[in-house]
Amino acid sequence: MRLDRLVNVLGGYGVRLACCPVPRSAELRSVAVHDPADDRTTQGDVFLAVGAGSVAEAVAWGAAARAAVVLVRTGSDREAADVGEAHGVAVLAVDPAVSWSELAGVVYGLVLEGRETESGRGPTDLFALADSLAAAVGGAVTIEDRRSRVLAYSSLQQHADPARSATILGRRTPEPLRRLFDARGVVAHLASSDEPLFVPPDPEHGLSGRMVVAVRAGREALGSVWATCAEPLTGVRRTALADGARTVALHLLRSRASADLERQVESDLVSQLLEGTVDAATVVSRLGLPPGPLRVIAVRAHVADERHAALLLAFDRATTGFGWSRPGRSALAGTSLYTVLPGERAAPAREWVAALRAALPAQVTVSAGIGGTARPADLPAARREADECLALHESRTPDDPPPAYDESWDDILLQRLRAAAKAGRTPTRGPVAELRRHDVEHGTRYTATLRAWLAAQGDLAEAGDRLGVHQNTVRNRLRKMAGVAGLDLDDARKRLALVIALAAEDDTPGAVGTGQGTDPGL
């Protein structure tokens, strides 16, 4: 497993990173514990300094064990940083309330069983299981998830064919093969039956014979197991394949439980940042985010009127991979997915949204909003900005790029004004209201004329062009409008108030001051 993942998971157990002179992507493959009764030097990538009297002693033990990271329960963060940097060892400070026995159980489980998968999580030893199954059935084995992505494969190459090689190299079943399996009813069989199925050879697709069986937990499909074979498996080998599928299901459920734990740790930390915490910089560090500017992305996903399933799927895809393998950290809150993403420019945030949309089924509608650049302590405000940008995106078409607050603040302001107007908080009387009533009652175009004149900053010719009429018509209208609504267009403050009033009552974003089209009325 990776150091980054160890740091993030242990953060939920009261462990904090004091210093890290080694890459956060460093691989950890073994664990060692100090044993005062044993004079032999033990070696391990993760060293538990049980019984150390000081940080210096703990790090010295860890360095002798050739460890990349040392866990200590004594000393200050400053001392840990100085000693760790000097020895080139990462130091994790353990809260005194956490017992070594509890911590050792978690660390051993993560490091020794935490083989990284496509989702970036463990524990799983599916590759070893694939080898065992291959030996039992006498053919090469591939284990796939329910989306036909490769989770593990056997080292045995007996009866291997071009289709298997392409599947392993591409990390998923190639699209032509998926269409072939669908046409032959393989996909339908896996969805409805737990019995192994023989798939005949197809030389055109480089496919020799296959036996495939669904991997299921209760009624939920988790994936499938494929074994190469020249003819249908029978007897003991068929039974071994079916039993192996049930064992794979247990491994996948265990992997999911581990993923859920890590997602919970991540979600809790992200929620703290978005709701506000006095130690935001520390939380950002625990999440493994780099120092520097951050952005908050708010996302909603739905299929027709169903929101929850698509949102959970979006969260699953947003949290696929861990730490080193993805840029952001995410949490669910209400009907929205929030992701904290490092970076100052809005473009990477839009690319992140585009990648998420591409990873979801085509029928899922995705809307998103991007908050302005923020420091850790400012993330609650950035979340509100992201929410407003999300609401703005939902008022547009889903194919439009997600708005970012620092680029769309004017649209956000107008959106706030319109929301206030719809809530009945704008005056029901005044020049704009009087002009609107006159237009309704007499078929005039006074409101559009005022909007065009204000947008043209008093230029009669330009206002006429916007309206499709002569400038003298605009002049005549303005004179008549003054009598209807008592307009005082010489007062700058009143002109500003008129612009705001028009914007607040206009339901079409960007329409304020356009006044486009012909206008035959007076």
Side-chain angles (χ1 to χ4, degrees):
M1 65 169 299
R2 309 276 178 164
L3 172 58
D4 185 79
R5 178 165 167 251
L6 181 71
V7 170
N8 280 276
V9 175
L10 294 186
Y13 293 88
V15 179
R16 63 188 183 278
L17 183 63
C19 78
C20 191
V22 300
R24 291 285 288 261
S25 59
E27 294 186 356
L28 309 175
R29 303 177 182 275
S30 56
V31 182
V33 180
H34 174 66
D35 185 354
D38 191 346
D39 293 334
R40 293 174 298 176
T41 300
T42 58
Q43 293 187 359
D45 297 327
V46 182
F47 189 85
L48 307 182
V50 180
S54 65
V55 175
E57 185 177 29
V59 173
W61 291 348
R66 298 183 181 178
V69 56
V70 175
L71 278 71
V72 302
R73 289 183 61 184
T74 182
S76 65
D77 284 1
R78 180 69 265 170
E79 181 185 6
D82 290 342
V83 177
E85 292 286 351
H87 286 79
V89 175
V91 179
L92 290 175
V94 181
D95 190 305
V98 181
S99 71
W100 278 116
S101 59
E102 293 174 351
L103 195 62
V106 175
V107 173
Y108 271 99
L110 285 170
V111 176
L112 300 186
E113 297 185 12
R115 185 172 194 159
E116 298 287 354
T117 64
E118 189 274 341
S119 68
R121 298 178 171 86
T124 176
D125 51 0
L126 283 178
F127 282 86
L129 180 55
D131 284 337
S132 176
L133 274 175
V137 302
V141 167
T142 305
I143 300 174
E144 300 180 6
D145 69 7
R146 59 187 177 186
R147 297 188 183 92
S148 300
R149 295 176 300 194
V150 176
L151 298 176
Y153 52 89
S154 65
S155 56
L156 178 66
Q157 297 301 317
Q158 183 176 351
H159 305 307
D161 53 34
R164 170 181 164 84
S165 300
T167 299
I168 292 175
L169 289 174
R171 303 296 294 168
R172 67 182 304 144
T173 302
E175 190 59 33
L177 274 179
R178 294 180 67 184
R179 290 195 295 267
L180 174 67
F181 295 149
D182 191 20
R184 288 188 173 184
V186 177
V187 176
H189 176 87
L190 292 176
S192 60
S193 175
D194 293 334
E195 290 297 315
L197 174 72
F198 180 67
V199 182
D202 189 307
E204 181 181 348
H205 290 83
L207 178 73
S208 61
R210 293 281 194 282
M211 284 293 284
V212 60
V213 61
V215 175
R216 209 180 315 273
R219 296 181 179 179
E220 182 181 1
L222 301 178
S224 56
V225 179
W226 301 73
T228 59
C229 53
E231 55 189 24
L233 297 178
T234 59
V236 175
R237 294 196 298 166
R238 180 187 176 93
T239 301
L241 182 64
D243 291 344
R246 287 188 281 273
T247 305
V248 169
L250 294 176
H251 280 267
L252 294 182
L253 288 174
R254 187 172 62 167
S255 177
R256 177 184 292 183
S258 173
D260 289 343
L261 169 64
E262 295 173 25
R263 282 181 173 130
Q264 168 126 26
V265 172
E266 177 177 334
S267 294
D268 288 345
L269 293 175
V270 171
S271 296
Q272 289 181 39
L273 290 175
L274 299 181
E275 293 169 4
T277 175
V278 294
D279 203 6
T282 299
V283 176
V284 167
S285 176
R286 287 177 61 184
L287 281 168
L289 293 170
L294 302 166
R295 285 185 182 264
V296 176
I297 304 172
V299 174
R300 286 195 186 126
H302 65 90
V303 178
D305 294 330
E306 171 54 52
R307 293 185 176 272
H308 300 295
L311 185 65
L312 290 174
L313 183 58
F315 178 65
D316 179 73
R317 297 311 302 160
T319 53
T320 293
F322 207 85
W324 59 273
S325 63
R326 59 185 171 87
R329 302 292 184 270
S330 303
L332 283 175
T335 60
S336 298
L337 162 68
Y338 294 97
T339 293
V340 178
L341 195 73
E344 188 167 0
R345 298 183 302 112
R350 289 195 177 96
E351 292 170 1
W352 183 91
V353 174
L356 176 65
R357 181 184 284 115
L360 296 174
Q363 66 269 29
V364 175
T365 299
V366 176
S367 299
I370 304 166
T373 306
R375 300 170 302 171
D378 299 328
L379 287 175
R383 173 190 181 175
R384 292 190 292 270
E385 294 171 354
D387 283 335
E388 290 189 295
C389 289
L390 171 60
L392 184 63
H393 197 212
E394 289 181 321
S395 70
R396 301 173 175 175
T397 63
D399 292 334
D400 287 342
Y405 186 82
D406 41 352
E407 299 172 359
S408 303
W409 63 269
D410 52 333
D411 289 330
I412 297 296
L413 176 59
L414 296 179
Q415 182 175 258
R416 292 176 184 173
L417 292 172
R418 293 183 191 107
K422 290 179 180 178
R425 294 168 59 186
T426 53
T428 57
R429 295 190 294 177
V432 173
E434 294 296 332
L435 292 177
R436 288 187 186 278
R437 275 193 289 268
H438 192 278
D439 287 344
V440 172
E441 294 173 3
H442 301 281
T444 54
R445 301 280 293 180
Y446 290 164
T447 306
T449 301
L450 176 61
R451 183 185 294 114
W453 185 85
L454 289 169
Q457 301 183 44
D459 187 318
L460 294 173
E462 182 180 340
D465 290 341
R466 288 171 175 265
L467 294 166
V469 299
H470 193 273
Q471 60 177 313
N472 288 338
T473 301
V474 178
R475 183 181 292 107
N476 290 334
R477 287 183 186 177
L478 291 174
R479 177 175 51 79
K480 294 178 180 180
M481 290 158 55
V484 170
L487 293 178
D488 182 3
L489 298 179
D490 294 329
D491 189 322
R493 289 173 58 84
K494 286 186 172 58
R495 291 198 301 272
L496 175 60
L498 288 170
V499 170
I500 294 174
L502 287 168
E505 296 182 16
D506 199 315
D507 291 330
T508 306
V512 178
T514 59
Q516 295 176 350
T518 59
D519 186 16
L522 294 177

